[in-house]
Amino acid sequence: MKTSFKLVALSALTLFVISCGGKKEDQDFGKKEAIEESETNDDFPLAEKGKEIFEGKGTCFTCHKKDVKIVGPSIQDIVKIYKEKNGNIVTFLKGEADPLVDPTQFEVMKANFAITKTMTEEELQSLEQYMQSEGK
């Protein structure tokens, strides 16, 4: 029982930190995959799969809600900051970028890299698209 609780807590904390990332160095922050403005969910073909991951094996929902900060920043805040800073959510989820949203929470989020680093590129892109579709 204690192990289960620890895993859930660790996952929740990790997801919080995931929302806080992107490289600060003089790089392009993954412009190729950067968040782009969009008006419809048709622009996010992987969003439904991303929602399943967000609410399922990713356990992102434990720390992030659409428009309210819980443990981690809201999806809307994450998407807004990544867009403003031309950051890349996928790169951060891979553990290959520094936090952008709230660097003070990075240690909490780092624990979730154990989950996100096992995800495929498509799963990570699905998560990003889901967040983008919710972050409008």
Side-chain angles (χ1 to χ4, degrees):
M1 191 73 144
K2 283 184 177 183
T3 303
S4 228
F5 176 75
K6 287 179 182 178
L7 286 173
V8 170
L10 181 62
S11 294
L13 293 176
T14 300
L15 292 174
F16 174 73
V17 176
I18 285 176
S19 67
C20 305
K23 285 199 175 186
K24 290 181 183 177
E25 300 166 359
D26 293 329
Q27 296 183 2
D28 66 1
F29 296 107
K31 287 180 184 177
K32 178 179 169 187
E33 299 173 10
I35 297 170
E36 297 182 57
E37 287 191 42
S38 228
E39 296 301 320
T40 69
N41 281 343
D42 293 340
D43 295 324
F44 305 109
L46 300 174
E48 190 59 38
K49 180 177 181 178
K51 180 178 181 180
E52 291 173 15
I53 295 167
F54 190 92
E55 295 174 351
K57 80 176 191 176
T59 67
C60 312
F61 73 96
T62 58
C63 294
H64 303 284
K65 301 298 179 207
K66 180 177 180 171
D67 59 0
V68 96
K69 177 181 166 100
I70 299 184
V71 174
S74 71
I75 295 171
Q76 290 175 343
D77 287 343
I78 294 166
V79 170
K80 178 183 177 220
I81 291 169
Y82 269 81
K83 183 175 180 179
E84 288 172 355
K85 295 185 178 185
N86 201 24
N88 184 296
I89 294 170
V90 170
T91 301
F92 179 75
L93 294 175
K94 289 178 178 179
E96 298 172 354
D98 293 328
L100 287 179
V101 179
D102 185 357
T104 64
Q105 294 295 319
F106 183 63
E107 289 303 314
V108 174
M109 184 60 198
K110 265 189 357 187
N112 285 324
F113 288 156
I115 296 170
T116 59
K117 284 183 175 183
T118 66
M119 293 181 184
T120 66
E121 186 72 23
E122 182 178 327
E123 288 173 321
L124 293 170
Q125 289 176 359
S126 297
L127 270 175
E128 181 180 50
Q129 285 190 22
Y130 170 67
M131 292 175 70
Q132 290 170 337
S133 71
E134 291 293 301
K136 301 190 264 182

